[in-house]
Structures are given as structure tokens and as C-alpha cells.
Amino acid sequence: MAAETSVEMFSKVLENQMLQTTKVVEEQLDAEIQKLDQMDEDELERLKERRLEALKKSQQQKQEWLSKGHGEYREIPSERDFFQEVKESKNVVCHFYKDTTFRCMILDKHLATLSKKHIETKFLKLNAEKSPFLCERLCIKVIPTLALVKDGKTQDFIVGFADLGNTDDFTTETLEWRLGCSDIINYSGNLMDPPFQSQKKFGTCVTKLDKKTIRGKKYDSDSDDD
């Protein structure tokens, strides 16, 4: 009997919340309709022109990104290419990997998905064994490592999976959230709410790193390659 009463109360609360949400949405829609009704033809035409111009600029920006290699996850052959790539794009994620490291393949899958979703950011991979100069300058000791580059400067690093819930089974959404924390992608979710599958189990371990230039300071790591 008590259980039935509890379910009934919960249903009523949920119903009230839904009604309140619907009322708010309806009020906002009514306000927009009223605002449009009050516009004359010239104002409506100007509004239409502004929206078309914004759409045009958005399409032009998208085409520019695509022409620079955004929208796909691809490998670059050398360190020289790395410098050219980060020079061309404002936001770059570069995966330093090794063929023999299993976790690099896990990252590959998630990065390929995110590269198509976030075309505002360039997603690259570079073989760490073929880039000794960069690995030394950036003090990359753990594989995999993601270097997050903004305006030609390494803003942050994701070292191993510590920031991703300390598990090989992290979701693409978790990696997306972590990249959003560094403002390297346009993240639309709540940065204060990490989408770990089980926060109680994995905790929220996010490493705060100082900004570094490509030829800048080293950071400490007490881990070696897998």
C-alpha cells in the first residue's frame, strides 16, 4: 500500500514538472510569435537577410575547415607536417601513438567519431617513434598522449586514460567532455557533469596542466610507456 502511494505521488510530481516545463515553452513561443507579429515588412526582411548572411558565413567557415583537413581523423607522416598543420588551424588534437600500444587503438576509434562531429577542430595522429624531437620537447613519456594545441601553442595534454575515468571502456562522450574542458572543441554539454558511466566507481580525476608552447616547458610524469 505504501509503495503504491509512493509511486502515485512520484507520478503526480513528474506530471506537474512536465506541465510546468510545457507552460514555460509555450510562453516563450507565444512571446516570439508576438514579437514577429509586431514587426513590419522591412524589419522581417532585415531579419531574413541577417539569418541568411549568418548561414552563408557558417557554410563558408565549414568549407574552409574542410579544405584544411578538418572533418576526418588522419595520420601525418612527420614532425615537419605537425608544425604546418597546427599553424593552419586554431584548434588541433594530435594523438601521439605507437603501433604496439593497445590503448592507442581504443583512442583511434573515439577520435575518428569526434573528428566528424567537431569539424571546428583538426584531429591528427603522429607516430611517437618517428617524432623524437617533438616527444622530447613536449616531454611525452606516456603513450598514448593527446596534445591539445590552440593557436599554435600546446594548451593541455591528456596523458593515458587517467582523465577519462581510469578505464579502457570509457565512452566517446567522456573523451568529448575532457576535450571540452580544455576548450579545444565547441562542447554543448555541462562541463561540471562528467559523463562517466559510473562516477562513484571511477571518480573524477582531471589533471590541470600549465599552458606550454611547442618549444616550451616540460611537464612531469612518473609513468613510462605501456
Side-chain angles (χ1 to χ4, degrees):
M1 187 69 178
E4 292 179 359
T5 303
S6 178
V7 170
E8 184 178 353
M9 289 178 61
F10 176 76
S11 298
K12 288 182 178 179
V13 170
L14 184 60
E15 183 179 356
N16 287 334
Q17 290 178 341
M18 292 179 65
L19 288 173
Q20 290 174 2
T21 301
T22 302
K23 183 179 179 181
V24 170
V25 172
E26 288 178 348
E27 289 176 350
Q28 292 175 343
L29 183 59
D30 288 341
E32 288 295 324
I33 293 174
Q34 184 178 3
K35 184 178 179 181
L36 289 172
D37 287 341
Q38 292 173 350
M39 287 185 175
D40 57 30
E41 290 186 7
D42 289 340
E43 289 176 322
L44 285 172
E45 188 63 29
R46 286 194 293 271
L47 177 61
K48 181 181 178 181
E49 289 176 358
R50 287 197 297 269
R51 288 181 175 177
L52 286 174
E53 183 64 25
L55 181 61
K56 182 180 178 181
K57 288 182 178 179
S58 177
Q59 286 298 112
Q60 289 175 341
Q61 178 66 83
K62 181 178 179 180
Q63 289 303 317
E64 181 183 345
W65 282 330
L66 292 175
S67 70
K68 293 179 178 179
H70 293 226
E72 61 178 336
Y73 176 51
R74 55 193 173 85
E75 182 165 4
I76 53 176
S78 69
E79 296 171 323
R80 184 187 299 272
D81 294 284
F82 175 87
F83 287 105
Q84 182 61 35
E85 294 281 0
V86 300
K87 183 179 179 181
E88 290 179 351
S89 299
K90 180 179 178 65
N91 297 311
V92 179
V93 174
C94 187
H95 173 200
F96 287 85
Y97 80 98
K98 286 185 179 180
D99 289 324
T100 55
T101 303
F102 173 72
R103 284 186 163 184
C104 293
M105 291 184 280
I106 296 175
L107 267 182
D108 283 340
K109 176 186 67 174
H110 296 298
L111 292 170
T113 300
L114 291 176
S115 68
K116 294 177 176 61
K117 180 177 181 181
H118 292 281
I119 64 170
E120 73 278 5
T121 300
K122 180 182 289 183
F123 288 81
L124 306 171
K125 62 185 297 188
L126 179 59
N127 192 323
E129 294 178 319
K130 296 181 180 179
S131 50
F133 171 79
L134 267 177
C135 289
E136 180 181 356
R137 290 296 180 179
L138 299 178
C139 200
I140 293 176
K141 298 178 180 178
V142 177
I143 299 297
T145 286
L146 297 183
L148 312 183
V149 187
K150 182 180 285 289
D151 295 321
K153 297 180 180 180
T154 48
Q155 175 171 291
D156 201 354
F157 294 92
I158 300 177
V159 182
F161 291 174
D163 292 356
L164 304 173
N166 279 322
T167 174
D168 290 355
D169 298 324
F170 67 88
T171 63
T172 302
E173 289 74 22
T174 297
L175 177 57
E176 183 180 28
W177 163 81
R178 180 60 182 84
L179 294 173
C181 288
S182 296
D183 195 31
I184 208 71
I185 60 171
N186 296 335
Y187 185 69
S188 59
N190 182 3
L191 292 174
M192 301 303 294
D193 184 22
F196 296 153
Q197 292 178 328
S198 176
Q199 283 184 254
K200 290 183 179 180
K201 180 178 179 181
F202 298 127
T204 55
C205 177
V206 179
T207 305
K208 183 177 180 182
L209 299 171
D210 295 330
K211 292 183 179 180
K212 308 164 187 66
T213 63
I214 293 299
R215 301 173 184 273
K217 301 177 182 177
K218 296 182 179 181
Y219 69 95
D220 293 327
S221 173
D222 54 8
S223 301
D224 293 320
D225 295 349
D226 288 346

